Amino acid sequence: MAETLEFNDIYQEVKGSMNDGRLRLSRQGIIFKNSKTGKVDNIQAGELTEGTWRRVALGHGLKLLTKNGHVYKYDGFRESEFEKLSDFFKTHYRLELMEKDLCVKGWNWGTVKFGGQLLSFDIGDQPVFEIPLSNVSQCTTGKNEVTLEFHQNDDAEVSLMEVRFYVPPTQEDGVDPVEAFAQNVLSKADVIQATGDAICIFRELQCLTPRGRYDIRIYPTFLHLHGKTFDYKIPYTTVLRLFLLPHKDQRQMFFVISLDPPIKQGQTRYHFLILLFSKDEDISLTLNMNEEEVEKRFEGRLTKNMSGSLYEMVSRVMKALVNRKITVPGNFQGHSGAQCITCSYKASSGLLYPLERGFIYVHKPPVHIRFDEISFVNFARGTTTTRSFDFEIETKQGTQYTFSSIEREEYGKLFDFVNAKKLNIKNRGLKEKKEGMNPSYDEYADSDEDQHDAYLERMKEEGKIREENANDSSDDSGEETDESFNPGEEEEDLAEEFDSNASASSSSNEGDSDRDEKKRKQLKKAKMAKDRKSRKKPVEVRPPEREGAGDLRSVLPSSAQRACPLVLLELLFVASGYGLEEYLGNVFLWSLR
């Protein structure tokens, strides 16, 4: 018999998530190492009281029970490994590895058994399912009904939220089966119990997230929010940060509590608890402790009797119990003198607070971004109006936050703040880099014009080509007119030709004919130039009609004839039955005309 057994690709179920790892069995005990987190479960051999072999979804599984009631489940074994494990348990642990199958009948009526930290729902002698009571976060009772709520695991793709058990009434006097069931669950469940009296109670505080009015009871280890619909118990160990932020109207204060893990309401998770106070509301507070206990526990940070503004009392008590600093806005001051900027995030309007080490946005949804998380920021042009701009933040994980509709006057203040914190600005202007000029909104507004726009460049090129073609055509027509037509000379020639006193001493008929031919050509060119200048509409060229050819002008509307004379001409030529050479020649003549 081997001294040790090792199995790879073994899975441990933790709150609905299957964590793979490596299982090692030795004489001293059983060790499982989680491959993802590196956590090690060490079960001593003397603590084992029971071992069960059963068929599960991932092949076969091993269920181990210890003396203190803890249950360990490991899946991923092959069926052929049962004999090897059974012999090892007999030899080294003096235990019989029992085979036990789960019931798959699908019935919902059975018997509940409590064994150690495990609730087992059985039909006959076979278990249907088992619930580790350490996963239970809340147990509530109703008429003949018990509801169990569970802690959630963010690594699990599918999480079990709650299970309801119907407990039928019994005839026994003095014993309530529902209460007995609930007490068995609560005795082993991981439920925060409100034992003892609260240190102090704040009544009817306005809460923005989750929305409503809540009574806040302060206990030594947790915070209890009691509302008309929901109750939340928040351990102080889950509080990450505390923020005290003045509202822009200078009459209200936000008190923000950052939580990890968040509180849950159904499928909704609240990572921030946001309370809203009025500065004018005062309170006198007396702690439910004697002066010696207060002095010993809080070391002067709190006194038995205190009075002041309500937001000061709440923040002071929370700071003393949570033992964390309260973050307030730094030296930033906006255009209106406030320590925040009005903007919109997603669909809601809120306030963005630049802090000494990050940004926080309240209130719907609240967002906190630390400077060390930021990859770069970007000042973008407003999408609807030039009177506002957008402030974009992208984190190193690739998440982008866009705070829109910020007033134009806030740009300089926000830019100076971001620049002083040495954050990477994506669209910093070249002038500001080289010359160190003060930023202005006008420079910012044109910042994205440096980006290449392919469509705009193409339109510019096409415009240049059209202008060049127009200039070339005008230059060619001008040169042709200058060379072929001179108004002064033409008038003299015409005068010589038609003047009754013109000289008739021609030496020969050939000279007269040459001169007449030359004058006729000049006159023809002059008329063509004159017609070209005075003509506003293109001359309609009608090809000679041939037999069987139809006139397409009667089909086309007059607007199409005016807009596309060349196309009309081509259609007329083709419809008239011209050959290819004649058609091309006529098109060439049309271009000359």
Side-chain angles (χ1 to χ4, degrees):
M1 173 61 66
E3 295 293 329
T4 60
L5 291 178
E6 292 188 5
F7 301 92
N8 297 323
D9 297 329
I10 301 299
Y11 296 87
Q12 182 185 34
E13 188 271 330
V14 180
K15 296 180 183 178
S17 176
M18 304 302 292
N19 301 326
D20 63 321
R22 185 175 181 181
L23 185 69
R24 183 174 182 269
L25 289 82
S26 64
R27 284 187 174 183
Q28 291 76 23
I30 300 174
I31 298 174
F32 177 80
K33 185 175 182 180
N34 192 319
S35 299
K36 182 179 180 180
T37 62
K39 182 181 177 181
V40 176
D41 291 337
N42 193 349
I43 308 171
Q44 298 296 326
E47 296 179 359
L48 288 172
T49 58
E50 184 181 323
T52 305
W53 176 269
R54 55 187 181 178
R55 185 176 181 83
V56 292
L58 295 174
H60 289 75
L62 191 63
K63 171 190 166 186
L64 304 175
L65 183 64
T66 61
K67 293 180 180 178
N68 55 10
H70 286 287
V71 178
Y72 298 91
K73 298 178 182 178
Y74 303 105
D75 301 345
F77 295 96
R78 292 188 293 271
E79 186 177 4
S80 58
E81 295 170 339
F82 171 71
E83 296 295 335
K84 184 167 51 176
L85 283 169
S86 179
D87 294 341
F88 194 90
F89 270 71
K90 288 180 182 179
T91 304
H92 297 290
Y93 303 145
R94 302 293 189 271
L95 290 176
E96 184 74 25
L97 189 60
M98 301 179 294
E99 285 189 87
K100 201 167 188 178
D101 293 332
L102 295 174
C103 180
V104 292
K105 289 183 178 180
W107 295 0
N108 64 343
W109 187 271
T111 305
V112 172
K113 295 180 180 179
F114 293 93
Q117 293 186 349
L118 201 68
L119 181 154
S120 177
F121 184 82
D122 299 346
I123 296 178
D125 294 333
Q126 292 180 312
V128 179
F129 61 84
E130 295 173 340
I131 299 176
L133 295 178
S134 59
N135 294 348
V136 177
S137 63
Q138 187 69 23
C139 179
T140 57
T141 60
K143 184 179 180 180
N144 299 331
E145 193 175 71
V146 179
T147 303
L148 306 184
E149 298 180 11
F150 302 97
H151 294 289
Q152 301 302 303
N153 184 2
D154 293 337
D155 295 332
E157 296 181 359
V158 179
S159 296
L160 178 64
M161 301 297 297
E162 67 177 29
V163 173
R164 294 184 181 182
F165 294 94
Y166 173 76
V167 182
T170 60
Q171 300 297 328
E172 299 179 5
D173 296 334
V175 179
D176 187 355
V178 174
E179 289 296 331
F181 190 106
Q183 289 301 322
N184 286 328
V185 173
L186 291 173
S187 62
K188 300 295 183 181
D190 185 14
V191 179
I192 299 176
Q193 298 284 347
T195 57
D197 296 329
I199 296 176
C200 59
I201 301 176
F202 299 98
R203 301 286 184 182
E204 294 291 324
L205 295 185
Q206 182 180 356
C207 191
L208 300 181
T209 304
R211 188 175 182 85
R213 291 270 181 178
Y214 289 87
D215 293 341
I216 297 183
R217 295 183 173 89
I218 305 295
Y219 288 90
T221 58
F222 67 93
L223 180 72
H224 182 198
L225 268 71
H226 176 70
K228 293 181 180 179
T229 309
F230 300 101
D231 277 4
Y232 301 98
K233 294 183 177 68
I234 306 172
Y236 295 139
T237 55
T238 64
V239 177
L240 290 181
R241 295 176 183 85
L242 302 174
F243 301 91
L244 188 61
L245 309 171
H247 197 281
K248 193 171 184 178
D249 60 10
Q250 302 299 325
R251 293 181 296 177
Q252 300 179 94
M253 296 290 292
F254 293 108
F255 185 63
V256 184
I257 303 174
S258 175
L259 304 173
D260 185 28
I263 57 177
K264 303 176 185 67
Q265 180 179 315
Q267 294 292 339
T268 307
R269 299 184 180 186
Y270 297 102
H271 292 269
F272 293 88
L273 178 66
I274 303 179
L275 303 173
L276 182 63
F277 300 96
S278 174
K279 284 188 175 182
D280 300 333
E281 190 174 358
D282 297 331
I283 189 176
S284 296
L285 184 65
T286 301
L287 301 182
N288 189 19
M289 301 172 67
N290 58 46
E291 294 183 359
E292 294 180 358
E293 291 177 346
V294 172
E295 181 64 27
K296 182 179 179 180
R297 180 178 178 85
F298 301 110
E299 299 177 353
R301 291 173 292 178
L302 296 178
T303 58
K304 181 175 176 61
N305 298 308
M306 296 180 292
S307 63
S309 300
L310 179 58
Y311 74 89
E312 290 180 354
M313 294 297 100
V314 174
S315 59
R316 188 174 174 183
V317 170
M318 288 297 299
K319 180 182 178 181
L321 289 169
V322 178
N323 198 20
R324 293 188 181 276
K325 295 181 180 179
I326 296 179
T327 304
V328 297
N331 298 326
F332 176 81
Q333 191 172 12
H335 176 73
S336 61
Q339 294 179 296
C340 57
I341 295 173
T342 304
C343 62
S344 296
Y345 176 63
K346 293 186 176 179
S348 301
S349 177
L351 300 174
L352 179 66
Y353 290 84
L355 308 175
E356 289 299 318
R357 296 184 180 179
F359 295 96
I360 187 170
Y361 172 82
V362 291
H363 78 288
K364 192 176 182 180
V367 177
H368 178 237
I369 310 170
R370 302 190 312 273
F371 287 157
D372 54 8
E373 295 179 304
I374 297 176
S375 175
F376 62 82
V377 300
N378 182 33
F379 293 89
R381 183 179 309 207
T383 56
T384 58
T385 176
T386 58
R387 295 296 302 171
S388 64
F389 67 95
D390 297 348
F391 182 59
E392 300 173 352
I393 300 176
E394 184 165 333
T395 63
K396 296 176 182 178
Q397 288 76 22
T399 306
Q400 185 170 350
Y401 301 91
T402 301
F403 303 98
S404 58
S405 302
I406 303 176
E407 295 180 358
R408 173 179 176 177
E409 290 76 15
E410 301 286 1
Y411 171 73
K413 299 287 186 179
L414 186 58
F415 184 92
D416 292 340
F417 176 82
V418 171
N419 201 28
K421 295 300 179 181
K422 299 181 180 179
L423 297 178
N424 184 23
I425 303 176
K426 184 178 181 180
N427 60 339
R428 184 191 298 270
L430 295 176
K431 290 183 179 180
E432 296 172 8
K433 285 185 177 180
K434 294 181 180 179
E435 303 175 9
M437 296 176 63
N438 293 328
S440 65
Y441 185 80
D442 295 335
E443 293 177 4
Y444 141 73
D446 298 334
S447 61
D448 58 353
E449 290 184 0
D450 295 336
Q451 297 180 0
H452 179 71
D453 191 339
Y455 179 75
L456 181 61
E457 295 295 331
R458 188 180 70 185
M459 296 301 294
K460 288 181 179 180
E461 292 295 331
E462 291 179 357
K464 290 180 180 180
I465 294 173
R466 286 196 296 270
E467 290 179 1
E468 292 175 359
N469 292 339
N471 293 335
D472 292 343
S473 61
S474 62
D475 293 342
D476 295 341
S477 62
E479 292 174 1
E480 181 182 353
T481 303
D482 292 341
E483 292 177 358
S484 61
F485 173 62
N486 190 328
E489 295 178 0
E490 183 178 337
E491 289 176 359
E492 292 177 358
D493 294 336
L494 292 175
E496 284 184 340
E497 183 177 0
F498 298 103
D499 192 359
S500 59
N501 298 324
S503 175
S505 58
S506 299
S507 60
S508 64
N509 293 333
E510 293 179 358
D512 294 338
S513 63
D514 292 340
R515 182 180 298 176
D516 294 339
E517 183 68 18
K518 182 178 181 180
K519 288 181 179 180
R520 281 195 297 271
K521 289 182 178 180
Q522 290 178 352
L523 182 61
K524 185 177 180 180
K525 290 182 179 179
K527 289 181 178 180
M528 290 175 60
K530 188 175 181 180
D531 292 339
R532 186 182 297 113
K533 290 182 178 180
S534 61
R535 185 172 62 244
K536 295 182 179 179
K537 297 182 179 179
V539 178
E540 180 179 338
V541 178
R542 181 175 298 180
E545 296 185 359
R546 294 192 178 185
E547 184 177 357
D551 189 0
L552 296 182
R553 290 175 300 169
S554 61
V555 179
L556 295 177
S558 58
S559 58
Q561 296 180 29
R562 290 194 300 270
C564 306
L566 185 56
V567 175
L568 177 61
L569 179 63
E570 293 174 0
L571 292 173
L572 289 172
F573 278 132
V574 174
S576 300
Y578 274 71
L580 180 60
E581 295 180 357
E582 292 175 302
Y583 167 68
L584 294 176
N586 285 318
V587 171
F588 177 73
L589 289 177
W590 167 257
S591 64
L592 292 179
R593 296 284 292 171

